[in-house]
Amino acid sequence: MTVLILWLIAFVLIAYFANKRWNSGVSQGLDKMLPSVMKSHGENRYLWISAMAVLGATTLVRPVDILLVGLLLALIGFLAMKLINWASSKANH
């Protein structure tokens, strides 16, 4: 129960401050990192704020879980790229 309360407090604070500073820097910083298809235009504002708040709160409360998920996703991506490269080399011959 304590972890849930801490997560909710972190979520609310991150969402509040991200929303408050959206026009003064958060959206510009987000747009620099994202491809053009995913840019944070006005209609996506609350979606991006909630996504950042969920990731931020989870990182603050359960950092090991985030690290393990990141490592797992990196491993899956690496294996997928190797499999795609192998399949494309077989298809060319």
Side-chain angles (χ1 to χ4, degrees):
M1 187 69 171
T2 305
V3 172
L4 177 66
I5 292 171
L6 289 173
W7 189 90
L8 286 172
I9 290 169
F11 175 82
V12 168
L13 288 174
I14 292 170
Y16 171 74
F17 287 116
N19 189 33
K20 186 176 178 182
R21 296 191 168 262
W22 182 258
N23 291 327
S24 66
V26 174
S27 68
Q28 291 87 4
L30 189 61
D31 285 344
K32 288 179 185 176
M33 294 187 304
L34 296 174
S36 62
V37 175
M38 298 175 69
K39 297 283 185 194
S40 61
H41 304 295
E43 67 272 0
N44 296 332
R45 175 181 185 160
Y46 296 110
L47 175 71
W48 283 113
I49 289 172
S50 60
M52 288 188 302
V54 166
L55 286 174
T58 306
T59 302
L60 287 173
V61 174
R62 312 266 313 198
V64 174
D65 292 349
I66 291 291
L67 179 65
L68 292 176
V69 167
L71 289 173
L72 183 63
L73 289 174
L75 180 64
I76 290 170
F78 177 73
L79 292 174
M81 289 301 296
K82 288 294 184 182
L83 181 63
I84 290 169
N85 287 336
W86 176 78
S88 68
S89 69
K90 291 292 183 184
N92 288 337
H93 295 171

